[in-house]
Amino acid sequence: MANVVVVGAQWGDEGKGKLVDWLSERADVIVRFQGGHNAGHTLVIDGKVYKLSLLPSGIVRSGKLSVIGNGVVLDPWHLKEEIAKLQGQGVQISPENLMIAENTPLILPVHSELDQAREGQNKVAKIGTTGRGIGPAYEDKVGRRAIRVSDLADPETLKARIDRLAVHHDTLRRGMGMAEVDTDALLARLNEIVPLVLQFAAPVWKVLAEERKAGKRILFEGAQGSLLDVDFGTYPFVTSSNVIAGQAATGSGMGPGSIDFVLGIVKAYTTRVGEGPFPTELDDADGQRLGERGHEFGVVTGRKRRCGWFDAALVRQTCATSGVKGIAFTKLDVLDGFETLKICVGYELDGKTLDYLPFAADQQARCVPIYEEIDGWSDSTEGARSWADLPANAIKYVRRVEELIECPVALVSTSPEREDTILVTDPFQD
């Protein structure tokens, strides 16, 4: 049986939550391998809405093991709030169904304070960060001064880690006119949260190796989208971690040979939150219509998403960098009623034609999308569960996208309800 990695193949918000939940019924273990609590998933199960931003989507399903891997940066206070909220909705959460890697770095109050101060003082080009401390936490991780879950178990180690962290942050804070870190207050706050976090701590790499050896199906879940990857995204308007499928291995402790199928999630159109280039963005009635019909507001931040036509050139690019073997096509129903649809097939840059988006920011800004038009459809696709339920032009649209991105469609989602899904290829049976 295959182990599956799910990645967003655009700028995030592609509908990963529903698809991961849909796939988790077939999986035994669900692993979150990167990001923090800055990206949200909305799950709708039997009419009940669950909003997650840190916990793996599999947590709402009984009989599954959910894992937070070392590639994640963990805000322990947000973890506490999210667990309490889900438990209030009747979800059972215990060390039996939730594990956190011992080497997972923590997001601390100093990180969110620094994040917000930087964005507030940046008068050159705002990144569009959520201000939740994700970037500074990753900086401390690679700077070898992070506090990790395992450090919470020993008071002397924890105090030493805090002191080391404060030396670096105090220099930054003084330069920005901020008060130095109150190390005693930070230590006290961490000590309060220690019992909650440590009950879930485990050698995740070992657990996953044993689960794989036992023949269990493992589903790897990322956050954000591949175009926000720190290496292959639209830098510097990106997140602070690797989002592409290769991160599933290093962010969980399993080798790349453990990955059998990469499923890329894409919307039938394109959205983006925050700053940065967006070649197919629509500032007209069509863009407004996509946003209203698609309910395009961030789960975590509530920010309105920018909307535009489907960009096949970009998705082809992300399918290549993540090694996507099949895509899940979501929100097809949002396109119902459009007389004509457009698909970006490449760009014009300074008189030349490109079939990819270059990395240079100045070139990205000058890229003009080249569109191919395709007839729309008037009938509803909402709730369709087979090809026979789809209008002929909707099928033509999906098939044309397959050709342009050079990757087959494995699933088509036609509403937020998990069962409103057309299965073409089961990733777990690859």
Side-chain angles (χ1 to χ4, degrees):
M1 297 299 180
N3 294 327
V4 178
V5 178
V6 175
V7 294
Q10 294 162 311
W11 276 293
D13 311 308
E14 301 96 348
K16 292 185 294 297
K18 170 196 165 172
L19 270 302
V20 169
D21 172 65
W22 192 87
L23 289 165
S24 68
E25 186 176 31
R26 295 160 173 77
D28 302 297
V29 184
I30 298 88
V31 183
R32 173 76 183 275
F33 62 83
Q34 56 78 222
H37 62 301
N38 56 335
H41 297 317
T42 299
L43 309 180
V44 182
I45 304 172
D46 297 328
K48 201 167 186 177
V49 179
Y50 301 95
K51 294 191 175 184
L52 311 176
S53 56
L54 179 61
L55 292 170
S57 296
I59 197 70
V60 300
R61 304 194 64 82
S62 61
K64 311 293 180 181
L65 173 61
S66 289
V67 172
I68 295 177
N70 58 278
V72 173
V73 281
L74 176 78
D75 183 322
W77 298 279
H78 179 86
L79 174 71
K80 181 180 180 180
E81 292 175 5
E82 197 165 320
I83 287 175
K85 184 176 180 180
L86 288 176
Q87 287 177 331
Q89 292 183 277
V91 178
Q92 300 297 314
I93 301 176
S94 73
E96 297 300 313
N97 68 341
L98 176 64
M99 289 184 181
I100 302 172
E102 294 172 321
N103 51 337
T104 301
L106 301 180
I107 299 176
L108 306 173
V110 295
H111 294 130
S112 56
E113 291 165 5
L114 179 60
D115 206 359
Q116 293 165 23
R118 281 175 172 168
E119 191 76 348
Q121 294 184 17
N122 189 349
K123 296 179 174 60
V124 179
K126 293 185 182 297
I127 300 299
T129 173
T130 60
R132 293 170 184 261
I134 312 297
Y138 275 118
E139 288 177 41
D140 281 344
K141 174 182 178 177
V142 298
R144 294 165 293 183
R145 54 183 170 267
I147 295 172
R148 307 198 296 183
V149 168
S150 58
D151 297 329
L152 299 176
D154 181 66
E156 289 187 11
T157 298
L158 180 57
K159 187 177 185 311
R161 293 283 191 271
I162 290 175
D163 289 342
R164 175 177 169 77
L165 185 79
V167 169
H168 174 78
H169 279 264
D170 283 344
T171 301
L172 297 175
R173 292 166 74 97
R174 284 193 296 267
M176 301 179 76
M178 301 168 65
E180 294 186 354
V181 178
D182 186 336
T183 56
D184 291 336
L186 178 55
L187 180 60
R189 285 200 66 188
L190 281 170
N191 282 330
E192 289 175 0
I193 206 79
V194 162
L196 171 76
V197 178
L198 287 185
Q199 67 175 310
F200 300 111
V204 158
W205 67 271
K206 185 174 185 295
V207 172
L208 292 179
E210 291 169 351
E211 294 288 281
R212 185 187 181 214
K213 193 178 297 183
K216 299 295 180 67
R217 292 171 167 179
I218 304 172
L219 183 64
F220 298 89
E221 172 190 14
Q224 290 97 22
S226 299
L227 293 172
L228 294 175
D229 185 273
V230 70
D231 286 308
F232 291 98
T234 48
Y235 191 93
F237 304 100
V238 294
T239 193
S240 300
S241 61
N242 286 113
V243 181
I244 60 175
Q247 177 64 16
T250 53
S252 66
M254 294 194 75
S258 304
I259 298 171
D260 302 299
F261 192 98
V262 178
L263 180 69
I265 315 296
V266 296
K267 275 179 182 167
Y269 50 103
T270 310
T271 63
R272 176 164 201 173
V273 173
E275 309 295 327
F278 186 170
T280 66
E281 183 173 12
L282 296 172
D283 293 316
D284 58 11
D286 286 338
Q288 182 75 12
R289 184 177 177 183
L290 288 171
E292 291 175 354
R293 295 202 59 190
H295 306 292
E296 296 299 348
F297 295 91
V299 174
V300 173
T301 64
R303 290 188 293 182
K304 184 179 179 180
R305 298 178 186 134
R306 300 153 64 190
C307 298
W309 295 120
F310 186 84
D311 193 329
L314 272 181
V315 173
R316 182 171 59 245
Q317 203 166 322
T318 57
C319 284
T321 56
S322 268
V324 174
K325 296 183 72 173
I327 67 165
F329 212 52
T330 70
K331 291 199 169 185
L332 182 64
D333 54 304
V334 174
L335 299 183
D336 293 351
F338 278 91
E339 185 175 336
T340 303
L341 301 168
K342 294 182 180 181
I343 302 174
C344 176
V345 297
Y347 313 100
E348 183 179 308
L349 174 63
D350 302 335
K352 297 180 180 179
T353 299
L354 298 179
D355 61 357
Y356 68 97
L357 189 69
F359 285 131
D362 65 305
Q363 293 180 11
Q364 290 177 348
R366 297 198 305 276
C367 280
V368 178
I370 300 171
Y371 286 118
E372 177 180 295
E373 292 193 354
I374 188 168
D375 291 336
W377 55 90
S378 56
D379 296 336
S380 174
T381 62
E382 185 174 359
R385 298 185 181 182
S386 71
W387 288 117
D389 296 332
L390 294 177
N393 280 353
I395 296 174
K396 289 179 182 177
Y397 181 79
V398 174
R399 293 306 188 197
R400 184 54 181 152
V401 166
E402 284 183 310
E403 293 173 358
L404 290 170
I405 66 174
E406 301 173 0
C407 187
V409 169
L411 301 157
V412 179
S413 171
T414 57
S415 92
E417 292 293 336
R418 65 185 302 277
E419 296 304 329
D420 291 341
T421 304
I422 300 170
L423 177 63
V424 182
T425 301
D426 187 344
F428 283 116
Q429 299 294 335
D430 181 60

